[in-house]
Amino acid sequence: MNFSSVEVRFAVEAARAAAGLVQRIQRDLAAEALTKNDRSPVTVADFAAQAVVAAKLAEAFPQETLVAEEASAALRSPDHADVTVKVVAYVRSLFPQADAETVLQWIDRGAAPARGRFWVLDPIDGTKGFLRGDQYAVALALVEEGQVTLGVLACPNLEAGREPAKHGAGTLALAVRGAGARWAPLQHPTSWQPLRVSDEDDPARARLLRSFESSHTNAGQIEAVARALGTQAEPVRMDSQAKYAVLAAGGAEVYLRLLSPAKPDYREKIWDQAAGALLVEEAGGRVTDLDGKPLDFSAGRLLERNRGVVATNGLLHAAVLEALRAVGA
Ligand code: AMP
Ligand code: MG
């Protein structure tokens, strides 16, 4: 595969279409809902984005399978009829011929077994970031025999370019195994720039990334790792796989996904890591679990054989694994 492959064209188009719809839903619904502490906008956007990617996959590659986060069961319950009506209406804005049943069936294409060759989708990664107006991503990847071979992240609020951690007009990041990683502005992805990790090799100057949500990580242990490395700066808190895009662009050196003390047996979901992990590897970085093992995408819908994730610019990987061992992570 290379950047001109049909798979790449499909992935970019599907991720951009889903991200565009999600942004529209956010503009329409989220401001009002936030004041009422209502999660329904993210629910509508999540299901609608999954339906759109599934529909585009059915058009482009009717035989291929999709592993995705959502299932239509909840939408089929009369309790959620109001959400379902909105999901169907938004999907019909892109696919006017689709009726409600077709939309629900598109969503359920995501229940395929995670085996052999399959696409993996997180329609909205970082739902809490979406609700807060912070970072989130549409994350789509292709997995072949346990290896991620293509990954795309559409990050509507990420600043592209030299300072990728800032809020901005949107970034599309793309990686193809063996061919590299690149980014383009999400709105007009015509000129692509290479993604390259930072060449910082001094652990004391490492910039760390972590989940915004403390329940998704172990904040205390991250502080301890930072001390062991000798870094002074506070870890940057950010939602979603946008963190991987920042690392791939050289905007940070280390991304830690440690195990929350409340859920020490948590296993990562493949759609939360696949696209971002390839992005970092193809930008010259390294991604393993906390024990230094490669992420194993052949274990089903979860990374059953891995604990947590550590991604770095490569140069600092050994030092970070050593620090993790030293603090007992
Ligand atoms: P982030 O914004 O990087 O924290 O990633 C968001 C993802 O974290 C969500 O899509 C969830 O699937 C995942 N998640 C939920 N609970 C946990 C947990 N206890 N530990 C790690 N990740 C989690
Ligand atoms: Mg997610």
Side-chain angles (χ1 to χ4, degrees), residues 23-209:
Q23 285 177 281
R24 184 144 60 85
I25 295 171
Q26 185 166 52
R27 279 194 295 273
D28 292 352
L29 305 179
E32 183 196 347
L34 206 54
T35 57
K36 295 191 242 156
N37 200 14
D38 168 10
R39 282 185 62 88
S40 65
V42 74
T43 310
V44 171
D46 227 9
F47 282 106
Q50 181 162 323
V52 164
V53 173
K56 292 205 169 274
L57 183 65
E59 270 176 8
F61 304 110
Q63 307 306 324
E64 299 218 336
T65 57
L66 180 66
V67 175
E69 184 164 19
E70 309 300 343
S72 79
L75 293 184
R76 291 179 188 274
S77 131
D79 299 348
H80 298 117
D82 51 333
V83 169
T84 309
V85 165
K86 287 180 187 157
V87 170
V88 171
Y90 277 109
V91 176
R92 281 171 56 100
S93 71
L94 300 185
F95 297 91
Q97 271 84 42
D99 60 16
E101 185 54 34
T102 304
V103 171
L104 296 176
Q105 284 174 10
W106 279 335
I107 291 166
D108 284 334
R109 284 184 62 116
R115 221 190 291 123
R117 174 184 162 110
F118 59 90
W119 292 86
V120 56
L121 170 72
D122 194 340
I124 299 186
D125 182 34
T127 51
K128 298 200 170 122
F130 175 89
L131 281 169
R132 266 190 260 102
D134 288 338
Q135 296 301 332
Y136 66 95
V138 175
L140 179 62
L142 178 62
V143 176
E144 297 181 80
E145 309 304 334
Q147 269 213 329
V148 187
T149 53
L150 185 170
V152 59
L153 292 181
C155 304
N157 291 336
L158 194 66
E159 173 73 56
R162 290 312 307 162
E163 292 209 67
K166 286 192 179 162
H167 271 253
T171 296
L172 191 63
L174 170 65
V176 174
R177 182 170 291 279
R182 40 170 77 171
W183 70 270
L186 180 59
Q187 300 303 329
H188 305 286
T190 43
S191 64
W192 292 88
Q193 307 286 326
L195 281 169
R196 185 74 210 157
V197 292
S198 126
D199 59 8
E200 182 59 65
D201 62 359
D202 180 356
R205 282 209 290 267
R207 293 166 293 175
L208 271 55
L209 297 163

Side-chain angles (χ1 to χ4, degrees), residues 46 69 121-127 137 139 216 240-241 257 266 269 271-273:
D46 227 9
E69 184 164 19
L121 170 72
D122 194 340
I124 299 186
D125 182 34
T127 51
H216 294 179
S240 85
Q241 289 173 71
R257 261 193 113 67
Y266 184 85
K269 291 158 181 155
W271 50 80
D272 282 333
Q273 314 302 330

Side-chain angles (χ1 to χ4, degrees), residues 69 122 124-126 211-213 215-217 238-241 243 255 257-258 260 263 266 268-269 271-272:
E69 184 164 19
D122 194 340
I124 299 186
D125 182 34
S211 286
F212 188 96
E213 297 295 328
S215 63
H216 294 179
T217 192
M238 191 184 289
D239 300 284
S240 85
Q241 289 173 71
K243 291 186 282 298
Y255 166 25
R257 261 193 113 67
L258 305 192
S260 141
K263 287 193 182 165
Y266 184 85
E268 302 291 343
K269 291 158 181 155
W271 50 80
D272 282 333

